[in-house]
């Protein structure tokens, strides 16, 4: 018998192999590929080819379940990626008869009237979006829905955008579902994963808390999927296949006949304007909370205003969070006198500084750097970006008695290290926590009464159609870490007070305004980004231009809105070029992209969220 086999992890089409045994589709096998022994999956039986083929070496007792197979095939088609790459992300199982256990779990949890209304709304709709303010009690509603589901003998998937959120969420869920859940993400060891998988499949632990990879577990009786912080771009994979876990969760809920709940204080425009998703507005906070917003337009970090607020909070024996984005790739030149940035005359977006040259990342226009501001003539130009370590050192000199720590990707080497820092902060052993996006969402500490948000203007003028949405969402999420139970002050360091003051406490209005602002971008249109990588600059450039020429010959309802060198022109000694396409047709771009999935130097990104 002859079978098509997808070699896991290789960006190639299925190859034909021979076997004396009958093999079920989507079973894991071991085969020889040139001089290597590789693992693959059988995707189907085929006719005997007119060339000699190798034999399948080993047939494993591991396979994909029906819902996994359906999800795999949809993923491969929609994201225009070979089955071999997509299947490599899935978790295989050797358990044929999984057990469904009804669990009688009681949780002591009282909801307020608005939460009860939200709970009923979710019970009455299949696809839901909880648009709930930070601290409004979304987690308690999740807990009620989860409990109802597992007591009915169903499985639950709870997705989080970042591994950094798992310790905090585990702590919360442990109160209600002790010994009933497993945690699943990339930093868990292979041995522990096997143990957790067995506990899940025999029905002892029907709740899965995890990051993106948890989506690809072998669910057999899925009743509920919760996507927390649904707006977060971390749900989108930046490596091929460039899938979005939130979008695949919606598809998985549909084929599994499971309920779906998306939750966020700052829902994405795409979800908010999705007609198939029922929305519930959860306003206010579960605990008493009152916040004062302070706007600081100082161009010096740390400013006198920031230092004064930190000192005040230290005297009150309260804790502070200082958020600082680290955006080193787009160094915008700012005039310290008038506060304006160098703009592209074609696109009205800030140009970025690249080795004494200004560059626009939309149209590619370049200009040599001048020593004076084009608006006011001042020579006080600044392009320096301060980092977390430098800010920590400065604050330690200014506030020698304060206990200061930082939490960024340098510190987050393991989940254990993350837990150590968060536990120290939770126990009150850190006065000021400086961090990047790792501290921006999900964390709930009652003693935090001051939060400073620095450097957001860098995000606001990031060359990205979602810049306004991402920046405002980030500001609201970071601000939500303070005043979880009482009064708090939020300092926003910005030159654009009008934008933040208009929307920081009124995200509803922003969603309405932003839809008009984005008429030529998602959710109104769809995008496809082709990324070309090569160690040879000329080869990458020629391939980019050849694909553009090929696309220009296609008679279909799409447009090429940009192509050329990427904003980050070189990574790991590879030159990078891009082509960006736009269309109003849902599957058209996926179908066009299928033509290019065999090109090894091309990465296909359907519905891109990263543009660097």
């Amino acid at each position: 018998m002859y079978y098509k086999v997808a070699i896991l992890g290789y960006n190639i089409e299925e190859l034909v192999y021979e076997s004396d045994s009958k093999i079920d589709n989507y079973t894991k096998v071991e085969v020889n590929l040139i001089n290597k022994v590789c693992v693959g999956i059988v995707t189907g039986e085929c006719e005997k080819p007119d060339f000699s083929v190798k034999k399948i070496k080993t047939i494993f007792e591991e396979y994909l379940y029906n819902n996994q197979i359906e999800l795999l095939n949809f993923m491969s088609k929609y994201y225009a990626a070979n089955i071999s790459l997509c299947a490599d992300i899935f978790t295989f199982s050797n358990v044929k008869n999984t057990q469904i256990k009804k669990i009688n779990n009681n949780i002591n949890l009282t909801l307020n009237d608005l939460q009860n209304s939200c709970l009923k709304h979710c019970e009455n709709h299949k696809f839901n979006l909880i648009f709930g303010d930070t601290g409004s009690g979304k987690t308690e509603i999740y807990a009620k829905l989860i409990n109802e589901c597992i007591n009915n003998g169903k499985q639950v998937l709870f997705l989080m955008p970042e591994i950094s959120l798992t310790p905090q969420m585990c702590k919360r869920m442990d109160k209600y579902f002790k010994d009933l859940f497993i945690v699943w993400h990339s930093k868990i060891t292979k041995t522990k994963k096997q143990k957790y998988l067995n506990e899940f499949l025999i029905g002892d632990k029907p709740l899965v808390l995890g990051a993106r990879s948890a989506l690809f577990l072998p669910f057999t009786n899925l009743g509920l999927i919760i996507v927390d912080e649904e707006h977060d771009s971390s749900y989108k994979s930046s490596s091929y296949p460039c899938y979005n876990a939130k979008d695949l969760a919606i598809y998985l809920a549909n084929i599994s006949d499971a309920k779906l709940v998306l939750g966020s204080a700052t829902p994405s425009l795409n979800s908010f304007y999705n007609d198939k998703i029922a929305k519930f507005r959860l306003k206010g906070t579960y605990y008493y909370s009152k916040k004062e917003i302070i706007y600081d337009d100082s161009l010096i970090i740390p400013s006198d205003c920031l230092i004064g607020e930190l000192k005040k909070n230290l005297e009150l024996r309260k804790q502070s969070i200082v958020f600082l984005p680290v955006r080193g790739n787009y160094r915008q030149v700012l005039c310290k006198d008038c506060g304006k940035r160098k703009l592209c005359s074609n696109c009205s977006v800030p140009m970025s500084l690249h080795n004494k040259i200004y560059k626009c990342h939309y149209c590619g226009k370049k200009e040599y750097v001048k020593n004076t501001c084009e608006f006011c003539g001042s020579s006080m130009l600044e392009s320096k970006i301060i980092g977390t370590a430098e800010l920590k050192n400065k604050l330690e000199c200014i506030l020698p008695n304060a206990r200061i720590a930082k939490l960024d990707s340098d510190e987050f080497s393991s989940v254990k290290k993350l837990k150590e820092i968060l536990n120290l902060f939770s126990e009150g052993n850190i006065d000021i926590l400086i961090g990047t996006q790792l501290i921006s969402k999900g964390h709930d500490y009652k003693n935090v009464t001051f939060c400073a948000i620095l450097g957001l203007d860098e995000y606001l003028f990031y060359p990205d159609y979602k810049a306004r949405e991402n920046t405002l969402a980030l500001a609201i999420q970071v601000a939500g870490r303070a005043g979880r139970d009482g009064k708090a002050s939020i300092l926003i360091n910005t030159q654009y007070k009008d934008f933040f003051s208009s929307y920081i406490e009124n995200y509803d209005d922003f969603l309405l305004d932003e839809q008009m602002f984005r008429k030529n971008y998602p959710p109104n249109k769809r995008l496809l980004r082709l990324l070309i990588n090569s160690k040879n600059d000329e080869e990458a450039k020629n391939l980019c231009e050849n694909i553009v020429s090929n696309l220009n010959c296609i008679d279909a309802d799409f447009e090429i809105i940009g192509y050329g060198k990427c904003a980050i022109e070189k990574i790991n000694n590879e030159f990078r070029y891009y082509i960006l396409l736009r269309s109003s047709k849902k599957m058209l771009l996926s179908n066009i992209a299928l033509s290019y999935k065999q090109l090894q130097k091309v990465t296909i990104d359907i519905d891109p969220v990263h543009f660097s």
Side-chain angles (χ1 to χ4, degrees):
M1 288 169 281
Y2 296 87
Y3 294 97
K4 289 188 290 183
V5 176
I7 313 297
L8 298 185
Y10 284 77
N11 189 20
I12 54 175
E13 290 275 13
E14 293 103 313
L15 302 175
V16 178
Y17 286 86
E18 182 185 354
S19 175
D20 295 329
S21 306
K22 175 74 177 170
I23 308 173
D24 292 332
N25 287 349
Y26 300 96
T27 297
K28 192 181 277 190
V29 294
E30 189 178 66
V31 295
N32 283 325
L33 177 66
I34 311 175
N35 296 320
K36 288 183 180 177
V37 177
C38 298
V39 175
I41 58 164
V42 169
T43 59
E45 201 171 344
C46 62
E47 296 294 320
K48 180 181 178 180
D50 55 4
F51 50 84
S52 60
V53 297
K54 294 179 180 179
K55 279 205 167 189
I56 290 173
K57 285 173 64 70
T58 311
I59 303 167
F60 297 109
E61 291 186 357
E62 291 181 80
Y63 47 85
L64 297 179
Y65 289 177
N66 290 337
N67 279 358
Q68 288 180 297
I69 293 167
E70 200 168 340
L71 183 64
L72 169 63
N73 285 305
F74 171 78
M75 183 181 175
S76 174
K77 183 180 178 184
Y78 187 83
Y79 293 105
N82 282 310
I83 288 279
S84 53
L85 285 181
C86 298
D88 198 34
I89 304 168
F90 282 72
T91 299
F92 288 72
S93 172
N94 59 4
V95 179
K96 288 197 173 180
N97 298 310
T98 57
Q99 297 179 38
I100 306 300
K101 294 181 181 178
K102 279 203 172 189
I103 293 168
N104 187 21
N105 185 61
N106 295 310
I107 57 175
N108 184 21
L109 181 57
T110 304
L111 303 183
N112 61 32
D113 290 344
L114 192 58
Q115 285 175 310
N116 274 315
S117 297
C118 183
L119 179 64
K120 285 176 185 171
H121 179 272
C122 292
E123 288 171 343
N124 292 331
H125 294 88
K126 184 175 170 66
F127 298 106
N128 301 273
L129 169 65
I130 302 177
F131 177 4
D133 295 340
T134 52
S136 60
K138 294 186 290 293
T139 305
E140 288 75 20
I141 297 165
Y142 297 157
K144 284 281 192 180
L145 289 166
I146 292 167
N147 199 58
E148 187 179 320
C149 192
I150 63 173
N151 281 346
N152 286 327
K154 299 266 189 179
Q155 296 164 330
V156 178
L157 170 61
F158 189 113
L159 285 177
M160 291 165 280
E162 303 267 10
I163 296 172
S164 63
L165 294 175
T166 51
Q168 177 87 348
M169 190 53 73
C170 286
K171 208 171 179 182
R172 293 183 193 177
M173 289 297 159
D174 199 53
K175 286 195 312 187
Y176 309 121
F177 307 108
K178 194 174 180 65
D179 300 325
L180 291 175
F181 66 87
I182 64 167
V183 180
W184 196 271
H185 53 69
S186 59
K187 289 191 181 287
I188 293 173
T189 64
K190 194 173 179 181
T191 305
K192 276 191 175 179
K193 277 188 174 180
Q194 191 56 55
K195 175 180 176 289
Y196 293 163
L197 184 61
N198 290 338
E199 291 172 335
F200 170 67
L201 289 173
I202 64 173
D204 287 345
K205 300 192 175 182
L207 168 60
V208 179
L209 303 179
R212 286 193 315 239
S213 58
L215 185 72
F216 306 107
L217 284 167
F219 293 97
T220 55
N221 193 24
L222 190 58
L224 173 66
I225 301 176
I226 295 170
V227 183
D228 196 27
E229 310 290 359
E230 69 84 27
H231 67 280
D232 200 292
S233 61
S234 298
Y235 282 119
K236 174 77 170 175
S237 170
S238 57
S239 57
Y240 201 29
C242 304
Y243 68 92
N244 190 314
K246 178 184 74 175
D247 294 340
L248 287 182
I250 295 172
Y251 184 81
L252 180 60
N254 192 43
I255 63 173
S256 305
D257 197 27
K259 187 180 293 297
L260 174 86
V261 177
L262 309 176
S264 177
T266 54
S268 65
L269 209 65
N270 286 20
S271 297
F272 189 77
Y273 285 104
N274 188 328
D275 293 335
K276 294 178 181 177
I277 297 175
K279 292 92 186 167
F280 190 94
R281 185 68 173 97
L282 191 64
K283 281 198 168 191
T285 52
Y286 190 67
Y287 298 100
Y288 169 76
S289 179
K290 188 176 181 181
K291 295 176 186 176
E292 176 196 6
I293 309 290
I294 302 163
Y295 291 97
D296 175 17
D297 62 1
S298 174
L299 297 174
I300 298 168
I301 297 177
S303 67
D304 290 342
C305 184
L306 171 60
I307 294 164
E309 291 297 324
L310 288 171
K311 282 180 177 177
K312 214 188 296 180
N313 220 39
L314 284 167
E315 288 167 7
L316 294 170
R317 297 185 182 278
K318 297 293 185 180
Q319 291 173 292
S320 302
I321 284 177
V322 180
F323 170 80
L324 187 69
V326 178
R327 182 70 76 188
N329 302 325
Y330 297 91
R331 294 170 64 86
Q332 297 166 8
V333 174
L334 182 75
C335 175
K336 293 178 77 173
D337 280 348
C338 71
K340 291 185 178 177
R341 287 168 167 74
K342 168 68 180 171
L343 296 179
C344 171
S345 58
N346 293 339
C347 307
S348 297
V349 296
M351 300 183 83
S352 299
L353 184 64
H354 289 259
N355 298 322
K356 297 185 179 180
I357 290 176
Y358 289 125
K359 181 178 177 182
C360 172
H361 293 305
Y362 274 86
C363 69
K365 180 179 177 180
K366 294 179 182 178
E367 288 183 25
Y368 285 105
V369 171
K370 294 176 183 175
N371 295 325
T372 56
C373 172
E374 65 181 65
F375 297 101
C376 70
S378 170
S379 60
M380 298 293 286
L381 301 178
E382 174 79 9
S383 67
K384 189 177 179 222
I385 298 173
I386 190 170
T388 50
E390 187 182 350
L391 181 60
K392 180 174 180 282
N393 292 339
K394 285 188 175 186
L395 290 179
E396 282 173 338
C397 292
I398 298 165
L399 306 168
N401 296 322
R403 297 166 296 175
I404 304 173
K406 72 182 180 81
L407 181 58
D408 55 24
S409 55
D410 294 334
E411 303 297 324
F412 182 28
S413 55
S414 66
V415 175
K416 185 181 177 184
K417 179 74 173 171
L418 174 70
K419 281 182 179 176
E420 284 174 9
I421 296 171
L422 293 179
N423 284 338
L424 284 170
F425 192 58
S426 178
E427 292 161 5
N429 295 317
I430 295 171
D431 299 313
I432 301 170
L433 182 62
I434 302 167
T436 55
Q437 292 209 39
L438 288 174
I439 63 168
S440 68
K441 47 195 170 272
H443 304 299
D444 186 358
Y445 302 106
K446 299 288 190 291
N447 198 42
V448 176
T449 57
F450 175 67
C451 179
I453 305 169
L454 312 180
L456 271 191
D457 291 356
E458 294 292 333
Y459 278 72
L460 191 56
F461 290 96
Y462 187 56
D464 177 354
Y465 75 90
K466 288 182 71 175
R468 284 160 44 103
E469 178 184 333
N470 290 341
T471 305
L472 184 63
L474 187 57
I476 292 171
Q477 292 289 339
V478 177
R481 298 316 107 212
R484 306 288 287 192
D485 188 12
K487 292 182 180 179
S489 298
I490 313 296
L491 182 145
I492 300 176
N493 175 243
T494 181
Q495 300 293 307
Y496 299 91
K497 178 184 173 182
D498 286 349
F499 172 77
F500 289 104
S501 61
S502 297
Y503 298 124
I504 191 78
E505 295 182 288
N506 198 351
Y507 194 74
D508 307 66
D509 279 359
F510 172 77
L511 289 168
L512 295 172
D513 293 346
E514 186 69 0
Q515 191 198 24
M516 299 301 295
F517 187 76
R518 293 235 298 261
K519 62 183 180 181
N520 288 319
Y521 290 93
N524 302 301
K525 302 275 187 176
R526 290 194 62 226
L527 298 176
L528 161 64
R529 186 172 184 252
L530 300 175
L531 183 65
I532 297 108
N533 292 276
S534 174
K535 292 190 182 297
N536 185 302
D537 189 18
E538 194 66 23
E539 181 185 39
K541 181 184 176 184
N542 290 339
L543 181 54
C544 177
E545 290 174 351
N546 289 339
I547 293 173
V548 169
S549 297
N550 180 267
L551 288 166
N552 283 327
C553 297
I554 299 173
D555 183 18
D557 186 14
F558 74 94
E559 58 182 321
I560 301 170
I561 58 173
Y563 68 94
K565 278 193 174 181
C566 292
I568 305 173
E569 297 178 8
K570 193 177 180 184
I571 294 179
N572 292 333
N573 290 318
E574 286 195 330
F575 294 92
R576 307 169 75 242
Y577 285 75
Y578 78 95
I579 304 166
L580 190 62
L581 281 66
R582 177 168 63 199
S583 177
S584 55
K585 301 287 177 66
K586 191 170 183 182
M587 284 301 294
L588 175 64
L589 296 181
S590 293
N591 293 332
I592 288 171
L594 287 170
S595 307
Y596 303 101
K597 72 174 185 176
Q598 297 312 318
L599 298 176
Q600 296 297 309
K601 297 185 185 301
V602 175
T603 297
I604 294 165
D605 190 358
I606 295 284
D607 306 325
V609 298
H610 307 291
F611 294 90
S612 57

